[in-house]
Amino acid sequence: MWGSLGARSESAGPRAASGRLWAVVLGAAAGFFLLGFLIGWFAKPTDKKTSLSTHEDMRTAFMAEMKAENIKQFLYNFTRLPHLAGTKENMHLAQQVQAEWKKFGLDSVQLVHYDVLLSYPDDTKPNYISIIDEHGNEVFNTSLSEPPPPGYEAVRDVVPPYSAFSAQGVPEGELVYVNYGRTEDFFTLERDMGINCAGKIVIARYGKIFRGNKVKNAELAGAKGIILYSDPADYCAPGVDPYPSGWNLPGGGAQRGNVLNLNGAGDPLTPGYPAKEYAYRLDKTSGVGLPKIPVHPIGYHDAESLLRNMGGRPPPYSSWKGNLNVSYNVGPGFTEDYSSRKVKMHIHSNNEVRRIYNVIGTIRGTVEPDRYVILGGHRDSWVFGGIDPKSGAAVVHEIVRSFGKLKNEGWRPRRTVIFASWDAEEFGLLGSTEWAEENAKVLQARGVAYINADSSVEGNYTLRVDCTPLMYSLVYSLTKKIPSPDEGFEGKSLYESWYKKNPSSEYKEVPRINKLGSGNDFEAFFQRLGIASGRARYSKNWNVEKYSSYPVYHSVYETYEIVEQFYDPTFKNHLTVAQVRGGLVFELANSVVLPFDCRDYASSVSNYAHIIYNLSRNHEEELAAYSVSFDALFSAVKNFTEVAASFHERLQQINLNNLLAIRSLNDQLMFLERAFIDPLGLPGRPFYRKFRKLFLLFESEIV
């Protein structure tokens, strides 16, 4: 046996030597690997200092990169022509934005199209309102267009004032003034004054509620048609001249806008589904939210002519009176001298399917490329869009440029950042909603946050923020690092001027943050998908300036010049808004731990519950009759508050070197907003799925 083993050993001598050599090589390789592993392990940062220092330095560089002069130039470039959704001008602007975002250095920039239902006036049959005599002769006609602002007389393709998606028709009848056209206004007329609006044409002033709700209320009251106008009481600031001498709405200006009641459905013909070529479509006449009666907007000079000889009863309350030189009698019909006259509407607008284009740009994240932070704002405008939306689009452009600059210098965010230029927002949030519908599954799985970027300015008094409670702490922290642009606050932070001018009524010693409702491009992300969302802009003093929105809203007078001359001559407020919006995106995309505070959410939910409980005390009999108890609600709020506090404590103790632990806790923070989504939606509003939306609706309707 030994001999044979010896013989084998003898003959295998060279192989044994080779094996020993390989063993030495492999052992050395393993040693070097182990040595490298140990060096790498012990070289890792043991605390937050290095990563935070880099994060702070990059945020400072990002903030410093944004320039007011750039925003000013972008706004000027974007407002040379009208950019109505579905037109070649807006498609060309989309292509321009795409080319420039690529030049800025984004990883990818795509045009994403959808075929949606839009609405336009008939070029051969203009829309207008007339007063007719007993023989049907027109004795007065409203204006067919707005007088152009100085310098824009030669611009073509300015769409005249119209109500998008209005039903066609030429109804005639007696006129009834219905104040703001709210439910309570129609109740006052019908229940208290005995005035039936059925078969009548009603006229309502803009303000208080969405124009589409005014139309729906008129339909329910049986009206044949509805005329909308901007009363100086609601759309003119006291002591300010009309544009171009000041920033008030001229008498010939009128507010365009859609009059749909979509409730989050998106394209009326493909509710719930992306409006792609392959989609099944409803018939054009049966689309979601389409009004059944003609609608038309007019300026207050024309409205004065219609209301001047109104007969019937005087207004029931002084609050029904605006600032026109008329009696504001409610009718129906005109005074005795003009009792044979009626009002006739001539509405010939057409609904048609047209292609729209979103611009979608991305910077891929390094550590968590499958987590998305989205910055989006719309590009389409009714005419020039100097405020809505181009003041926002210009800010988005500068934010994209600044992110691109950092990326070109070697930096990348931790998470993927998506930039969006939405189309057809003015026609019912169509571009953003269709994209959200097409990408719903991946967005619900990966969407961290959405920051909306519509108009950057609607005033020049102070900052206004609307956001999820998850972002409260982030917003406060960020604004403490941004200098205030306000006069009298030199050397102080934006937080300080904001708090001084608009303190919160709900929380002590912090600025006011508003609840995030609906009616803008965040809607599909927040109300339907449950993605944490927020928006910021510079606004007016709402406690003093009682007029609705801003005076020239959706008129031809929303020009670059009105912004440059009156709203923000130095564009310092635009820059501040860019720093807030861009700063939020930066922090959400680059912080190791998501900067969400679930304790603020718990506090907010607790406030909602107590508000609703207090309101319910006005209905004690009904509560008793239906055995309504709030015990379960308050128990759930208490449990949520305790768990939120416990989670926050664990978050403070997390090991920043444990990537799996960070990912796990970040996902819990990200999905918290989704926990308040009901997949079936609210009753009668299936695309509003947020329980917080239900709180807001209940709070507004129970009063």
Side-chain angles (χ1 to χ4, degrees):
M1 176 179 237
W2 284 103
S4 62
L5 286 174
R8 290 182 180 178
S9 176
E10 179 77 17
S11 61
R15 294 182 185 176
S18 175
R20 284 192 296 273
L21 177 63
W22 279 110
V24 170
V25 170
L26 291 174
F32 282 123
F33 175 80
L34 180 61
L35 179 62
F37 177 80
L38 292 173
I39 291 173
W41 177 264
F42 289 108
K44 286 196 305 180
T46 56
D47 56 28
K48 305 178 184 180
K49 182 172 291 185
T50 302
S51 61
L52 283 183
S53 175
T54 302
H55 176 81
E56 295 285 347
D57 291 345
M58 295 311 300
R59 185 187 61 221
T60 300
F62 170 69
M63 293 295 212
E65 179 60 31
M66 290 183 280
K67 303 292 191 296
E69 187 59 37
N70 291 339
I71 298 171
K72 178 179 180 178
Q73 187 62 51
F74 292 148
L75 179 62
Y76 179 84
N77 294 342
F78 290 164
T79 53
R80 296 305 86 205
L81 295 172
H83 294 106
L84 190 63
T87 64
K88 65 179 184 300
E89 289 83 8
N90 203 35
M91 180 190 70
H92 292 160
L93 182 58
Q95 293 168 335
Q96 175 189 333
V97 170
Q98 179 190 29
E100 292 184 7
W101 285 8
K102 285 182 177 179
K103 183 179 177 182
F104 293 158
L106 301 192
D107 291 325
S108 69
V109 188
Q110 299 176 335
L111 292 184
V112 182
H113 70 265
Y114 301 96
D115 299 317
V116 300
L117 188 69
L118 301 178
S119 173
Y120 305 95
D122 189 325
D123 292 336
T124 64
K125 296 180 181 178
N127 299 328
Y128 67 99
I129 312 297
S130 62
I131 297 176
I132 59 174
D133 62 19
E134 63 270 27
H135 305 295
N137 299 317
E138 296 178 354
V139 297
F140 169 78
N141 293 331
T142 58
S143 306
L144 300 182
S145 62
E146 296 165 296
Y152 293 84
E153 294 85 354
V155 177
R156 302 178 60 188
D157 298 320
V158 173
V159 69
Y162 76 112
S163 296
F165 301 105
S166 165
Q168 294 182 341
V170 287
E172 61 180 74
E174 293 181 305
L175 190 65
V176 176
Y177 170 63
V178 296
N179 197 25
Y180 291 108
R182 299 168 296 185
T183 301
E184 57 264 39
D185 295 327
F186 281 101
F187 281 175
T188 296
L189 287 169
E190 297 181 11
R191 297 178 179 180
D192 300 342
M193 303 179 71
I195 297 174
N196 190 345
C197 293
K200 307 294 193 298
I201 292 174
V202 301
I203 181 169
R205 50 178 169 157
Y206 276 123
K208 305 299 183 185
I209 61 173
F210 172 57
R211 69 184 79 84
N213 294 105
K214 299 174 189 284
V215 177
K216 186 66 174 179
N217 291 338
E219 279 184 19
L220 294 173
K224 287 183 176 180
I226 178 171
I227 303 165
L228 303 172
Y229 81 98
S230 304
D231 196 288
D234 305 291
Y235 284 89
C236 288
V240 177
D241 290 334
Y243 187 76
S245 299
W247 43 273
N248 266 344
L249 180 69
Q255 180 190 134
R256 298 154 181 79
N258 84 75
V259 290
L260 294 168
N261 274 276
L262 288 173
N263 289 322
D267 172 41
L269 305 186
T270 60
Y273 298 92
K276 303 300 283 189
E277 300 90 329
Y278 51 78
Y280 169 80
R281 284 173 168 77
L282 301 174
D283 183 81
K284 287 183 183 179
T285 60
S286 57
V288 173
L290 295 175
K292 298 179 175 61
I293 60 175
V295 192
H296 190 61
I298 60 175
Y300 58 81
H301 281 171
D302 284 340
E304 194 166 55
S305 296
L306 291 178
L307 295 171
R308 180 175 295 121
N309 297 311
M310 284 291 288
R313 303 271 294 277
Y317 309 107
S318 60
S319 61
W320 280 50
K321 291 185 177 182
N323 285 349
L324 295 176
N325 187 27
V326 298
S327 65
Y328 287 93
N329 286 347
V330 298
F334 298 114
T335 57
E336 187 173 340
D337 292 342
Y338 304 94
S339 59
S340 61
R341 295 184 176 182
K342 294 183 179 180
V343 169
K344 186 174 183 178
M345 303 181 71
H346 309 258
I347 309 301
H348 307 286
S349 298
N350 297 298
N351 298 341
E352 56 182 286
V353 174
R354 288 198 187 181
R355 181 155 290 187
I356 62 171
Y357 297 87
N358 294 333
V359 186
I360 306 296
T362 60
I363 295 179
R364 190 180 65 257
T366 53
V367 180
E368 299 180 84
D370 60 339
R371 291 293 178 263
Y372 306 152
V373 176
I374 307 166
L375 173 69
H378 75 101
R379 182 186 69 257
D380 66 297
S381 56
W382 287 112
V383 194
F384 303 109
I387 297 175
D388 179 11
K390 298 305 196 307
S391 68
V395 161
V396 170
H397 218 56
E398 179 63 359
I399 292 172
V400 173
R401 188 197 66 79
S402 300
F403 267 110
K405 180 75 178 297
L406 265 63
K407 183 252 182 184
N408 292 336
E409 293 175 353
W411 173 86
R412 280 186 179 275
R414 180 185 180 90
R415 303 175 186 89
T416 294
V417 179
I418 299 176
F419 304 100
S421 173
W422 307 122
D423 203 349
E425 186 270 357
E426 299 292 7
F427 287 84
L429 319 179
L430 303 188
S432 58
T433 302
E434 298 312 303
W435 189 80
E437 288 175 339
E438 184 175 21
N439 298 281
K441 294 294 185 183
V442 68
L443 288 172
Q444 283 192 306
R446 302 179 179 183
V448 172
Y450 175 84
I451 302 301
N452 199 56
D454 201 341
S455 308
S456 294
V457 295
E458 60 185 12
N460 49 24
Y461 179 67
T462 192
L463 184 69
R464 175 177 175 175
V465 175
D466 313 345
C467 69
T468 170
L470 280 178
M471 293 186 189
Y472 286 0
S473 294
L474 169 60
V475 170
Y476 291 144
S477 174
L478 178 65
T479 53
K480 290 176 181 177
K481 300 168 186 172
I482 297 173
S484 174
D486 297 352
E487 292 184 12
F489 289 88
E490 293 80 5
K492 295 187 177 181
S493 70
L494 176 61
Y495 178 92
E496 290 174 285
S497 61
W498 179 27
Y499 171 58
K500 181 70 174 179
K501 293 183 174 184
N502 194 15
S504 174
S505 59
E506 294 184 69
Y507 304 100
K508 293 182 179 180
E509 299 181 351
V510 292
R512 175 185 176 88
I513 294 180
N514 299 290
K515 301 177 182 69
L516 197 62
S518 56
N520 216 297
D521 284 314
F522 59 81
E523 184 176 279
F525 301 94
F526 188 61
Q527 300 292 0
R528 193 194 295 199
L529 301 182
I531 295 172
S533 300
R535 60 175 174 172
R537 65 265 200 211
Y538 240 71
S539 189
K540 62 187 180 183
N541 185 348
W542 289 82
N543 295 323
V544 176
E545 301 172 270
K546 298 296 185 180
Y547 51 86
S548 296
S549 188
Y550 53 92
V552 298
Y553 177 66
H554 285 187
S555 74
V556 74
Y557 306 107
E558 271 199 62
T559 61
Y560 166 82
E561 287 76 17
I562 201 170
V563 176
E564 194 267 340
Q565 292 174 20
F566 299 109
Y567 279 90
D568 193 14
T570 63
F571 280 75
K572 61 182 181 179
N573 294 340
H574 281 77
L575 177 59
T576 298
V577 171
Q579 291 174 330
V580 173
R581 292 173 176 173
L584 289 173
V585 172
F586 187 93
E587 293 291 345
L588 290 162
N590 209 52
S591 297
V592 175
V593 177
L594 285 176
F596 290 154
D597 195 328
C598 54
R599 298 173 302 172
D600 289 334
Y601 215 122
S603 178
S604 184
V605 170
S606 179
N607 279 348
Y608 296 156
H610 282 92
I611 288 170
I612 292 175
Y613 175 78
N614 291 334
L615 289 171
S616 74
R617 296 298 92 190
N618 298 324
H619 305 272
E620 294 285 0
E621 292 184 6
E622 291 87 346
L623 291 173
Y626 292 97
S627 302
V628 175
S629 171
F630 285 83
D631 292 347
L633 174 63
F634 284 115
S635 175
V637 169
K638 179 176 179 292
N639 292 340
F640 179 43
T641 301
E642 292 173 352
V643 170
S646 174
F647 179 87
H648 185 78
E649 286 298 317
R650 284 194 289 126
L651 203 61
Q652 306 313 301
Q653 301 168 12
I654 189 172
N655 178 4
L656 294 181
N657 297 318
N658 188 336
L659 298 183
L660 289 178
I662 292 172
R663 173 76 165 202
S664 175
L665 291 176
N666 276 345
D667 279 358
Q668 291 180 68
L669 285 167
M670 180 180 75
F671 286 120
L672 175 58
E673 199 77 62
R674 316 277 206 279
F676 291 87
I677 288 291
D678 181 349
L680 299 180
L682 304 185
R685 310 182 191 195
F687 301 111
Y688 286 154
R689 298 172 179 170
K690 201 78 188 297
F691 281 117
R692 289 185 67 243
K693 178 73 173 177
L694 181 60
F695 277 116
L696 297 178
L697 292 172
F698 189 84
E699 181 181 343
S700 64
E701 292 175 3
I702 197 172
V703 178

